[in-house]
């Protein structure tokens, strides 16, 4: 997760010990292509940091 540490270091400086503590609150999730992170009707209560690849986000309103 060097990408995540580099991202943090853009905003704050953290020691290796602090980074280990921060990282302990996160979970690495591998998602396959076209796999949904959420289903229709679910409320998003999670934040994601994309390490590799890309993630598409979209909203569906009452007009579709």
């Amino acid at each position: 997760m060097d990408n995540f540490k580099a991202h943090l270091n853009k905003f704050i400086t953290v020691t290796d010990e602090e980074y280990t503590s921060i990282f302990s609150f996160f979970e690495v999730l591998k998602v396959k292509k076209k796999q949904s992170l959420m289903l229709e009707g679910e409320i998003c209560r999670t934040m994601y940091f994309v390490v590799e690849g890309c993630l598409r986000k979209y909203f569906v309103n009452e007009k579709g």
Side-chain angles (χ1 to χ4, degrees), residues 1-7 19 23 26-28 49-51:
M1 289 296 290
D2 290 334
N3 292 343
F4 183 61
K5 186 174 184 181
H7 179 72
Y19 176 72
F23 190 71
F26 291 82
E27 174 185 342
V28 175
F49 180 84
V50 179
V51 175

Side-chain angles (χ1 to χ4, degrees), residues 18-50:
E18 290 169 328
Y19 176 72
T20 301
S21 178
I22 292 167
F23 190 71
S24 72
F25 290 94
F26 291 82
E27 174 185 342
V28 175
L29 177 65
K30 291 187 178 185
V31 181
K32 293 181 181 180
K33 188 175 185 176
K34 297 193 179 193
Q35 179 180 343
S36 295
L37 294 175
M38 296 179 55
L39 299 175
E40 183 178 346
E42 289 182 333
I43 297 172
C44 184
R45 293 190 169 95
T46 307
M47 295 179 72
Y48 297 95
F49 180 84
V50 179

